[in-house]
Amino acid sequence: MNDNYDQNFTLGDSGEEAADTKIPVSDNQSVENERQGVVGQQENQQGAQGQQGFNQQGGYGQQAGQQGTTQQGYGQQTGQYGYRGMYSNAYANDYSNVYRSGPNGVKPPEKKAPRKKSHFLRKSMVAVSMGLFFGFFAGVAFYAVGTVSDYMNGSNQETVISQAPEVSTGTGIETAEAVTTEQSVTTVVTDVTEVVDAVMPSVVSINNTFIAQQDYFGQTLESEQTGSGSGIIVGENDSELLIATNYHVIEDADELSVQFIDGKEVQAQVKGSDAGMDLAVIAVQLADLEESTKNEIVVATLGDSDNLKVGEPAIAIGNALGYGQSVTTGVISAVNRSIVDATSATGTGSDSVTSLIQTDAAINPGNSGGALLNMKGEVIGINSNKIGGEVIEGMGYAIPISSAQPILEDLMTKTTKIKVDEAQKAYLGISGVDVTAEVAGTYGMPEGVYIAQVYEGTGAESAGIVKGDIITSFDGVSVRTMQQLQDTLQYYAAGESVEVKIQQGSPKGYQEKTLTIVLGGKPAEFE
């Protein structure tokens, strides 16, 4: 019988040797089944050792796992033999169902589908990191640029305050402090509070009350009206505070009043005027000023407009629209501008006004007579809203202070003019026609008042004025229109003597003569 058996097998989890099982060699099918069973047993043993019976799905295998190591090994051995039909069909069926699907009767472990890795989180972290990196270095760069810029601006625009020289002495009114810079300003300065604080007390508001006449269906209607403008305190003498302004601001004035920075308002009188340059000086009696007002106001510092450069900053201060003092800023847009103004104070025709400062600082109605300043707080021009009109935006004009100063100094020496009563009012004794710039250019005549008629028994006749002469100056003030001449005569009483300059025609052309005229009363034909 030993010749019919040739293999022994050892089974069990505990390592104990199982009984020798002898398989007939002649039964090939049985041998194959036995081989498969042994292989299955070995793989089952390995699975039991690695997972403690986890892959056991048959009911008997679970029972063997619960009964201990020895019973488990026996159950596994029994399952293998049951597969050969040596035990109950139940055991065989159980193990047959478990092991039939895999090679050698063992069910292969199920492979899980590989989990697709998501790169969203990693990409997000990279993007956030790059953003933080860029933001940090950009912030450092901007901070560095700002620091360097502030340092350069600070070093190039160091500002100090110095006391300007006093214009005159007398009552001790202070002179405006001038703001000086050690180096030239290279950028438009937006903060002008220091300059404004120093200069604003030298700028005043001027109110002009006058009688306006209007023809209505052949009748002349009169109405009282008020105009507003600005002025600059330019000096003082023993009894008066002197204020420069435009001629058209005080033109036709029946009454003038000046309002100072503290809101106090006093009466003023015309000191002198030059209609051709649109300049005038008015005077306020120091006796009319309160001490508190004297302590608030200052005398402006006049600068040099000859050295202005296009593009440098400019500040305009004035009584815009009559609402009170206001400030506008801009730059010097052009210098030495020459414009033709059909509505200038010199007449109704076209007049050429030369050597003006053009600026884009807003110069509105009411700003006329106010100050155009540089960054040192010096007056470089006297604003004039009337020159150039009011319809062009961003183009304001000012009379250069270097051109105006000699005229203002002369006007400041004039005797203050106070309107005389109608009964004492002086008359020259002529009727005239305006010679405008256009007429003068066409006919080769000087500008002024053309004498159309000389009345008998008047001062003009006595002085030798004849028809065809042209009056160009009256008592040292240039004359361009008949209306201007009549306005000037309001301040003269009959019996006063004045010098009058005329242009008289001759074969060689017009010749200038200076005549002294004793003004008379109103001619009888005008009574």
Side-chain angles (χ1 to χ4, degrees), residues 12 23 38-39 78 140 227 256 268 325 359 361 404 472 477 486 494 497 508:
I23 304 173
V38 172
V39 173
T78 303
V140 172
L256 288 174
Q325 303 299 347
T359 178
T472 59
V477 178
Q486 291 174 340
S497 298
K508 296 182 180 180

Side-chain angles (χ1 to χ4, degrees), residues 238-268:
D238 293 338
S239 60
E240 298 171 323
L241 186 68
L242 306 178
I243 300 169
T245 186
N246 290 135
Y247 171 76
H248 74 264
V249 172
I250 56 96
E251 186 179 12
D252 299 331
D254 289 321
E255 182 178 317
L256 288 174
S257 63
V258 173
Q259 186 178 53
F260 296 95
I261 189 172
D262 61 351
K264 301 296 176 59
E265 190 170 358
V266 297
Q267 298 298 309

Side-chain angles (χ1 to χ4, degrees), residues 23 50 131 214 216 302 328 336 343 462 479 512 522:
I23 304 173
Q214 184 177 7
Y216 187 76
L302 305 184
T328 58
N336 298 322
T343 61
S462 301
V479 174
E512 183 178 84
K522 191 174 184 179

Side-chain angles (χ1 to χ4, degrees), residues 61-208:
Q62 293 175 356
Q63 180 179 2
Q66 296 174 359
Q67 291 177 352
T69 303
T70 304
Q71 292 179 357
Q72 178 182 3
Y74 181 76
Q76 294 170 351
Q77 181 179 4
T78 303
Q80 298 299 327
Y81 284 103
Y83 182 80
R84 298 177 57 205
M86 297 178 64
Y87 290 90
S88 63
N89 291 332
Y91 298 152
N93 289 336
D94 290 340
Y95 280 88
S96 175
N97 291 333
V98 172
Y99 297 115
R100 65 182 179 178
S101 60
N104 299 326
V106 180
K107 183 178 180 180
E110 295 182 0
K111 296 183 179 180
K112 296 182 179 180
R115 185 177 180 181
K116 186 177 181 180
K117 296 183 179 180
S118 174
H119 299 288
F120 175 76
L121 181 59
R122 185 174 63 182
K123 292 180 179 179
S124 299
M125 293 298 294
V126 171
V128 172
S129 299
M130 292 297 292
L132 293 175
F133 180 81
F134 175 78
F136 173 76
F137 283 98
V140 172
F142 283 128
Y143 176 78
V145 172
T147 302
V148 173
S149 177
D150 292 342
Y151 173 78
M152 295 180 66
N153 290 338
S155 62
N156 289 334
Q157 299 182 10
E158 183 178 355
T159 303
V160 295
I161 303 295
S162 63
Q163 179 69 32
E166 295 184 0
V167 175
S168 61
T169 60
T171 59
I173 295 178
E174 296 180 359
T175 300
E177 294 179 339
V179 181
T180 60
T181 54
E182 294 184 354
Q183 297 187 13
S184 61
V185 179
T186 57
T187 58
V188 176
V189 179
T190 56
D191 184 2
V192 296
T193 55
E194 186 178 359
V195 176
V196 172
D197 289 343
V199 180
M200 185 74 83
S202 67
V203 182
V204 301
S205 300
I206 299 175
N207 296 315
N208 176 2

Side-chain angles (χ1 to χ4, degrees), residues 289-301:
L289 295 178
E290 298 180 5
E291 286 299 323
S292 59
T293 301
K294 293 180 182 179
N295 293 333
E296 290 286 338
I297 62 178
V298 295
V299 176
T301 300

Side-chain angles (χ1 to χ4, degrees), residues 429-444:
I430 57 105
S431 63
V433 178
D434 300 340
V435 180
T436 65
E438 184 178 2
V439 173
T442 301
Y443 297 102

